[in-house]
Structure formats: structure tokens, C-alpha cells
Amino acid sequence: MTNKVWRRLATVAVCTLILFFGADLALRWVSSSNWMKKYAVQKMQEATGREVRLEKMSVSFMGVKADKFALSEAGGFEKGTFLSVERLRIRVSLIHLVHGHIKLKSLTVSGVEGYLLRRADGVFNWADLLPADKPSAEEPAQTDTLSLPYLTLTDLSLKNINIFYQDEENKRQAALKNITLRGKRLVVRDLINLGFAADGFYQEGEKQYEFPVSFNVRLNLAGGDLSRAQVQMPDFLLSYNGAKVKINFQAQDFIAPHIKLGVTLENLTTDTLQNLVPDEPRFEVPQVHFKTDAIANLPEEKLTVNQAVLALSGVKLSAIGGIDYSAVLKYEARAEWQVDFKEFLAQLPQLAEEYQAAGTAGGTVHFTQQDWQTAVTAADMGANAGYAGRLEQGVLEVSALGTTDFKTAVSSITVSGLLNKEPFSVNVAWNQSPKDLAVSLNAFAKKLILPPLPERTEKGVAEKKVQTDKQPAPAWPLPPATVTGKIQIDALDAPYIAGRQILLQADLGNLTPDMKRARGELNLSMGNGEIKDLYKLTEANALTKVLFMSVNIVGKVFNSLNVFSVLNGIGSGLVSAVSTSDKEEDTVLQTVTGPDGQPMQIRVPKSQQKIDGRMAFDKFTTDVTFTQGKASVKDGSFVSDMVSFSLNGTTDFNSGEIDMTVQAAPGKHEADGIMPLKLNIGGTVDDPKGSMSMLGSVSSLVTQGIGNNFASRSVKKGIGGLFGIFKKKEKQTDQQAE
């Protein structure tokens, strides 16, 4: 080239530079002028419908600058500030636009504060800024690729950012303060690396929580090919008062994501998690680890879990499975677990000290949308069982399978070991079909102590009636049961009853909780024990209701007819037939049925003795036969130092009607002896009615006493001779007289 050409090219270049810098200066001057700032503010106010403030702005070919930007709440700055930005800087490289490359050299934002609010009416303070939803004529077609701009950002820096949230409806507050977001060499089409850190805050009522959080994320969009895109977050960390949550996450293929997730919890203690968990029981868990490997096939609507593992000291759980939710829901899962009780409870010092647990257990479970199956085994189990005492050498075996609608199931449970160094065993079998249920129970224990039951809130009769009228009892969900079993306990101490040499045998069919269609036999015998609360015992469950209902009814009739006065009179010989005009300060008149079947009045000593629910006994037996919901008691026997009686009769669980005959005698009296007092009980379970009559020979002896002194010696001897209950006393009296 000639010098002339070079001079011309140089002149063009200089002129171009002069024009470029001149235009840049002019752009800076115009954009930073007050009228341009007002124009920009006006346009932003029109777009948002809110007040806007902007202290400085400047635009050049090199980038954009803005200082002290603020956006008000709806209604103006008088209502508050919604968003404020202290400083914004964007540096660009225009030369790269020549080949369609948008290159930002830097993006710097600092001093940001945002205030998010959920008002008491449930409306958010940013709702008016959202665009109105417009109905779409058709759903957008799904695609495996994204159209991404060729955009790069060399340096990203967001710092001193604070976001506040307040929920006026639920009285909650939350915040992310001191947010920092940094990134280097970000390529939207390919690789994006970001680092995030912030200080979290949450308040509900008087409780406040602060927790720093940080993570790094690596995102590769693979040029918009979602099948090759992947994301990694290797070091998420959240801390609270010394406790930590660590998360490792990665996903490949955004069409059918293959996800790997690991979560580790560290230093979980009562002190580090204060205000989050109860103070009792105290715990010290050094680490809990969870990891999973899963594939979410979104197009085919399937989820496959290749592995899921939960592990902490003394516990390990692993599972695999899958879900198909494309058309009809289908699922299948398998899991295995193991527990070392001593190692696990070591993390709960108070419970470890209290229970002194030992042994191991493990099991499997498998379930699908149609059926399920499980098995559990445990060995060398040991624990302090509270009132029951100490369990040692415990062995447990459970196997069960059934359908997921729980209409069909087969299971067996076997438990054995030493309780207070005495052997015990329990075997239960359960076989259920949609129409039938068969249960078999066999148990043996040398000594059994059961803990107190929680107190139930007693309701008034009127309240019970209203509740019954408005809320009928739900239908029994299982088919009628056939129950067979045998329970032997050498010594029992339960909440409402205690006794020795207990034998309970059952062979029942068509059984439901209301007993209205029951059939079969139920037999119980006990010796040397005590009913601690007859009324609570009767209402404890269906079994005790059947076994002790008759005793409950007898107790009510004894109290209403003042039976103890009559029995005490017979027992002491102080009973006399009298006319209604007789008066004795220490006696009362009582009406009984006489030998001729007519009512007669007798005078007996006053007695405050009642059956108040507590009854010691030497022997209690009852044999109950069920026929279509009607329970027949044959030769039931109750023997104690206070009173003895035998019982025969029926209780109809369909109508509630009762028809019983009770033969009673004062003091300890075997059922095969002579019972001087007879009670006929009718009415209903809730309202029993009764009448008394004395044995004919006793009535005759009492009648012979008319005209004699009260409790005359002849009458006393006659009654005593008849029953043989005063022989020793009479012999001593005769010797003293001689």
C-alpha cells in the first residue's frame, strides 16, 4: 500500500474512535441527566403500578450503572419499601455481539433488601406485580432441547443481600441475611458454577432460630440438550447451634433424571436442637446417614429406586422399589432392617439407664399394590419392663402376609423368654379371609405383672346418651371371629384384678365386640386373689365384660337389697321374724320371701357393708356358654371371707335382658354346701332388679323365734346347727356356762 492509503485508513480509524468515544460520552451524559432519570422512573412506575425512586443512573457502551433504586409497596412509600438496591453495575463487551455472543464481563449487585409479606387476609404483597394469567389455546409441546442464548458472564458478585418474610396470618417471620452469590466464567449454554452463602433466621411466637447455610452448585446444560444436562451440589451445609445438615446431590439427564442423594445429620443432641425438640428424653446421636439412588422417568411416569439406605448407630435400613403412575397406579418395594437395641439406646442415655435393653432384631418387608409380606426375628432380648419386671433371653418370631385391602391375612407370632427369671411363652395364629377370621392363642406364664392403665375421663349418663345418638359406634371392620385358646398364669397382678392358678379357656365362634351373635364356651377359674375395681374391670374390654358381668350385676343387687344385713344376721344368728310395730335401735326391717312363698319381714342388724368394687376371694370360677348372643352361666362360684355365692342364669347381649339365680351365704362357703339366701335377678344389664328369699328351713327357724327374745338362743342354735357355722363358737359358750 501507498502512504496515501495508510493515511486515509488512519484517518478513518481516528474518526471512528472519536465518534465512538463521543457517542459514548453523549450516551453517558444523556442517560445520567435528570430528565432521562425521570423518564426511566416514569416508565417503571407505569409498568409496576408503584412508586419508584432512583438516585443515579448511567448507560454507556461499556455497561450500566444504577445507585439507590427503590420500589414501594402497593399504595406508595407511605406503606413501606418493597425492594431496594444500593448499587448495580453491569459491564459488557460489545465486540462479541458481532458474532451473536452476549458477553457480560461482570455483574455486581450489593445492598439489596427485599420485604415479602403475607397479609392477615392471606394475600401476598407481590400479587399485583404478577402478570395476569391468560388462557392458553393449547399446551406447549414437550421438547428434549432448550433454545439457549450464547451468553457468558465472566464475573458474578451479589453481596450484602437481605430478604425478609413475614406471615401476619400465622404470626411467623423468616429471613435470609447477608446473602452472597458468586460465580466465575459462567456459560449459559454449557457450564455454570455458583457459590451461595447466607445467614438464615426464623421466628414463630417467642421461639427464634438462626442457621447459616452455604452450598456450591455446578450446572451443565449441555448446549440445551436436556438428555445430557446434569447438575451437582456436592457440599450443601446448614448449621444450627452445633448441629449440621450436609447434603450431596447430583442428577444426570433432565428428561429421565438419574438422581443420587446423600444426607448426613451430625451432632444431634438435646442441647444442640433446643427449642426444636422436647427436653425429655435426652438424646445424643452423633450421626444419621441417608443415601438413595433413583431414576425418575418423567415421560413414562415411572420412578425406580435402585437403593435407599438409612443408617445410624445400632440401626440399618435398606430398601429398593418402584412406582408406575402412568395409567393405573402400580408399586413394589422391598426392605430389610436390623436393630441392635443396646447400641441404639446408648444414644438415649435416660432410656438406656431405665430399660437396660439388650439383644438384636431384624426383619424384611415386601409389598405391592395387591399384597404384602413381612417377617421379624429377635434373639437374646432383654429389658426392664416396668411393672412387669425384667425380661431376659427373649425370642420373637413373626411371619405375616396378606392383601393390601386387609381382607385376607395369615400370620403367626411366637414370643418366649424369662420374665423375672420365670419362663413364659405366647403363641398367636391369625387366619383371615373376607368372610371368616380364625384366631388361636396359647400362653403360659409363671408370674405376670401388668402396668396400670391410663385413666379414662368419665362421662355423665346424659352426655353418653347424646354421644350415642349422634355418633353411633362404627361397624366392626373384621369378619366374625372364631377364637380358641388357653391361658395359664400361676400368679397375676393386673390393674383391676389379681389372682393365682388362673386358667382361661375359650372356644368361641361368630365373635364380634358386641357379642350379639357369639356361640361357644368360655371358662375361667382363679384362686386366692382380689378384684381391685369390679366396675372398671367389667368395662375394660369385651373379654372381661363377659367374664365379670355376672359378678357386677350381683354386686348391684346386693347393694340395692341390703343383702349384707341379712347375711350378717344369718351368720351371727341375729335374725328374727317380727311384726311391723317392733322397734330396735340397732336393727332394721328387711322383706324376704317366706316358706309359704309370701313376703315376710325379718329384723336384722344394721350394716353399712357394700360391694364397692373391691372384693378379695379365695376362689372364683365361671363357665359361660354362648348361643346366638345369649350367655348362660352355669354353676358360677365366688368364695371369700366376706360372702360366698353360686350363680346360674343368662345374659342376652342382643336385648340386654338378664335372668339369674344367686344362692348366697355369709363368710367362706363352698358352692356345694347349703346357701341360706336366694336372689332372683331380672331386668337389664344397666338396670338389674332383684328379690330375696330364705331357705325354707331357715325361714321356719326364724318364724319359731316370734315371741321370744330377739336372737334367742334356740333360734341361734337352730341356724348354727343347720349350717355348721357356729359350732365352734357355741361349744366355747357352753363350756363357759358350765
Side-chain angles (χ1 to χ4, degrees):
M1 287 187 183
T2 63
N3 290 334
K4 186 177 181 179
V5 173
W6 281 111
R7 284 196 297 270
R8 287 180 179 177
L9 289 175
T11 301
V12 171
V14 171
C15 291
T16 301
L17 289 174
I18 292 173
L19 289 174
F20 176 80
F21 286 110
D24 185 68
L25 290 173
L27 181 60
R28 291 171 186 266
W29 178 77
V30 171
S31 62
S32 61
S33 63
N34 287 332
W35 66 268
M36 179 57 73
K37 183 179 67 174
K38 290 180 180 179
Y39 177 78
V41 168
Q42 179 184 353
K43 290 300 181 181
M44 285 187 285
Q45 289 183 156
E46 291 176 356
T48 62
R50 299 189 180 190
E51 293 183 4
V52 175
R53 291 175 181 171
L54 181 62
E55 185 175 295
K56 293 181 181 180
M57 65 172 286
S58 175
V59 179
S60 69
F61 292 143
M62 309 302 289
V64 177
K65 297 179 181 180
D67 292 326
K68 298 187 182 302
F69 167 83
L71 178 65
S72 74
E73 291 280 3
F77 284 103
E78 295 179 355
K79 301 294 185 179
T81 301
F82 175 71
L83 177 67
S84 65
V85 180
E86 186 70 20
R87 187 171 183 270
L88 170 67
R89 298 290 186 269
I90 302 176
R91 294 181 63 230
V92 299
S93 176
L94 296 180
I95 192 67
H96 291 82
L97 291 175
V98 175
H99 45 80
H101 179 190
I102 303 173
K103 183 173 182 178
L104 304 181
K105 290 184 176 181
S106 66
L107 171 60
T108 303
V109 182
S110 64
V112 178
E113 291 195 354
Y115 298 89
L116 309 178
L117 175 67
R118 186 172 188 258
R119 302 188 184 94
D121 59 3
V123 178
F124 294 99
N125 66 339
W126 65 85
D128 60 307
L129 299 176
L130 301 176
D133 293 333
K134 296 181 180 180
S136 177
E138 58 182 16
E139 295 183 359
Q142 293 184 351
T143 178
D144 294 347
T145 60
L146 291 177
S147 178
L148 299 174
Y150 189 11
L151 171 64
T152 62
L153 176 57
T154 304
D155 184 34
L156 172 66
S157 176
L158 280 69
K159 59 184 180 180
N160 298 329
I161 299 174
N162 300 297
I163 306 297
F164 302 92
Y165 173 77
Q166 182 176 357
D167 188 337
E168 293 182 343
E169 183 178 14
N170 297 308
K171 309 299 181 184
R172 298 171 182 167
Q173 296 183 30
L176 282 176
K177 298 183 289 185
N178 302 319
I179 298 174
T180 299
L181 182 64
R182 297 187 181 276
K184 295 288 186 180
R185 295 181 295 277
L186 311 180
V187 183
V188 172
R189 284 185 176 181
D190 293 305
L191 192 61
I192 298 175
N193 291 295
L194 294 173
F196 175 90
D199 295 326
F201 170 83
Y202 179 79
Q203 179 176 354
E204 184 173 0
E206 299 297 326
K207 296 182 178 180
Q208 297 184 2
Y209 312 95
E210 295 183 0
F211 47 92
V213 58
S214 63
F215 62 84
N216 290 289
V217 63
R218 180 185 179 92
L219 175 64
N220 188 346
L221 295 178
D225 184 354
L226 297 182
S227 64
R228 295 191 300 111
Q230 56 183 294
V231 61
Q232 294 180 340
M233 186 175 62
D235 55 0
F236 176 94
L237 175 62
L238 184 149
S239 302
Y240 173 74
N241 198 30
K244 296 180 180 180
V245 179
K246 297 180 179 180
I247 298 177
N248 181 352
F249 171 82
Q250 65 178 9
Q252 298 177 342
D253 184 354
F254 288 5
I255 303 300
H258 184 180
I259 299 170
K260 294 182 178 181
L261 172 66
V263 180
T264 301
L265 310 178
E266 294 182 352
N267 197 26
L268 305 181
T269 70
T270 310
D271 296 329
T272 59
L273 298 182
Q274 59 183 336
N275 297 328
L276 290 176
V277 297
D279 294 334
E280 301 291 340
R282 297 187 63 82
F283 59 90
E284 299 173 0
V285 181
Q287 188 177 84
V288 178
H289 184 64
F290 171 79
K291 66 177 181 180
T292 185
D293 183 320
I295 298 176
N297 194 325
L298 303 180
E300 297 183 10
E301 298 181 324
K302 293 181 179 180
L303 173 65
T304 302
V305 179
N306 299 319
Q307 181 188 49
V309 176
L310 174 67
L312 68 155
S313 182
V315 177
K316 185 176 181 180
L317 169 67
S318 61
I320 60 173
I323 300 175
D324 183 346
Y325 53 95
S326 56
V328 178
L329 179 64
K330 299 178 182 179
Y331 55 87
E332 181 177 8
R334 297 177 183 273
E336 297 181 357
W337 58 272
Q338 297 88 35
V339 176
D340 185 308
F341 297 111
K342 184 176 182 179
E343 187 177 345
F344 172 70
L345 284 181
Q347 302 166 108
L348 304 166
Q350 289 175 296
L351 297 182
E353 179 67 23
E354 178 181 355
Y355 290 103
Q356 296 289 310
T360 60
T364 61
V365 61
H366 173 224
F367 61 89
T368 69
Q369 68 274 11
Q370 290 96 11
D371 50 38
W372 57 270
Q373 183 174 351
T374 186
V376 178
T377 59
D380 298 324
M381 291 190 300
N384 295 331
Y387 280 84
R390 175 70 184 177
L391 169 67
E392 295 175 319
Q393 300 179 24
V395 176
L396 170 67
E397 292 185 4
V398 178
S399 64
L401 57 87
T403 56
T404 51
D405 59 7
F406 296 101
K407 292 183 178 180
T408 301
V410 177
S411 62
S412 65
I413 302 174
T414 300
V415 185
S416 63
L418 298 179
L419 192 58
N420 302 314
K421 301 189 182 300
E422 298 287 355
F424 79 95
S425 63
V426 179
N427 294 281
V428 181
W430 179 290
N431 194 331
Q432 177 188 345
S433 69
K435 295 183 178 181
D436 300 294
L437 171 61
V439 180
S440 174
L441 169 63
N442 289 280
F444 166 78
K446 291 287 290 184
K447 183 179 181 181
L448 181 61
I449 304 174
L450 300 180
L453 298 178
E455 291 292 333
R456 296 187 299 177
T457 303
E458 295 295 333
K459 298 182 179 180
V461 176
E463 185 179 353
K464 288 181 180 178
K465 186 177 186 304
V466 171
Q467 186 179 20
T468 302
D469 293 341
K470 292 184 178 181
Q471 299 178 355
W476 178 239
L478 298 174
T482 298
V483 178
T484 59
K486 181 178 181 181
I487 299 176
Q488 291 179 275
I489 304 175
D490 288 355
L492 171 68
D493 188 355
Y496 305 136
I497 191 170
R500 292 182 173 276
Q501 302 304 318
I502 299 169
L503 176 60
L504 173 63
Q505 299 182 92
D507 186 2
L508 300 171
N510 217 21
L511 198 61
T512 56
D514 58 16
M515 307 297 292
K516 290 186 176 181
R517 293 177 291 171
R519 54 177 172 75
E521 294 184 354
L522 188 63
N523 314 106
L524 171 66
S525 63
M526 303 177 65
N528 194 17
E530 179 184 30
I531 297 176
K532 303 175 184 179
D533 192 321
L534 176 60
Y535 310 113
K536 289 183 178 180
L537 177 64
T538 306
E539 298 298 328
N541 53 61
L543 177 62
T544 59
K545 183 175 183 178
V546 170
L547 292 173
F548 297 95
M549 174 67 73
S550 58
V551 181
N552 191 331
I553 293 171
V554 170
K556 292 179 180 178
V557 174
F558 268 43
N559 292 340
S560 64
L561 296 181
N562 200 20
V563 171
F564 280 108
S565 292
V566 177
L567 290 176
N568 288 341
I570 294 174
S572 63
L574 299 177
V575 59
S576 175
V578 298
S579 64
T580 56
S581 61
D582 291 338
K583 294 181 180 180
E584 295 287 347
E585 294 181 357
D586 297 329
T587 61
V588 294
L589 291 175
Q590 189 72 40
T591 302
V592 297
T593 302
D596 56 356
Q598 298 299 318
M600 64 175 288
Q601 287 187 315
I602 61 174
R603 186 170 291 280
V604 297
K606 290 181 179 179
S607 174
Q608 301 297 324
Q609 199 168 13
K610 300 281 187 181
I611 292 181
D612 59 0
R614 196 173 187 94
M615 303 171 65
F617 59 86
D618 293 330
K619 179 182 178 182
F620 173 67
T621 62
T622 182
D623 296 328
V624 185
T625 301
F626 291 90
T627 306
Q628 294 299 318
K630 180 179 288 188
S632 300
V633 179
K634 183 179 180 182
D635 296 331
S637 176
F638 183 91
V639 179
S640 72
D641 289 334
M642 178 177 66
V643 63
S644 301
F645 59 83
S646 63
L647 184 146
N648 292 273
T650 60
T651 300
D652 193 330
F653 284 93
N654 294 287
S655 63
E657 296 178 351
I658 55 178
D659 182 9
M660 297 182 180
T661 300
V662 178
Q663 302 283 348
K668 189 180 298 185
H669 208 83
E670 292 297 332
D672 55 358
I674 300 175
M675 299 284 189
L677 191 64
K678 178 181 178 182
L679 286 82
N680 294 313
I681 302 175
T684 64
V685 171
D686 295 326
D687 186 22
K689 306 292 185 182
S691 62
M692 287 188 295
S693 62
M694 287 196 297
L695 197 65
S697 54
V698 176
S699 298
S700 300
L701 288 172
V702 172
T703 305
Q704 292 173 12
I706 297 177
N708 297 334
N709 293 329
F710 179 70
S712 66
R713 186 176 182 84
S714 61
V715 175
K716 189 174 180 182
K717 283 187 175 182
I719 298 176
L722 180 61
F723 299 109
I725 55 179
F726 305 110
K727 290 182 178 179
K728 184 176 181 180
K729 185 175 180 181
E730 290 292 341
K731 185 177 181 180
Q732 293 174 349
T733 304
D734 292 343
Q735 290 176 351
Q736 292 175 1
E738 294 176 356

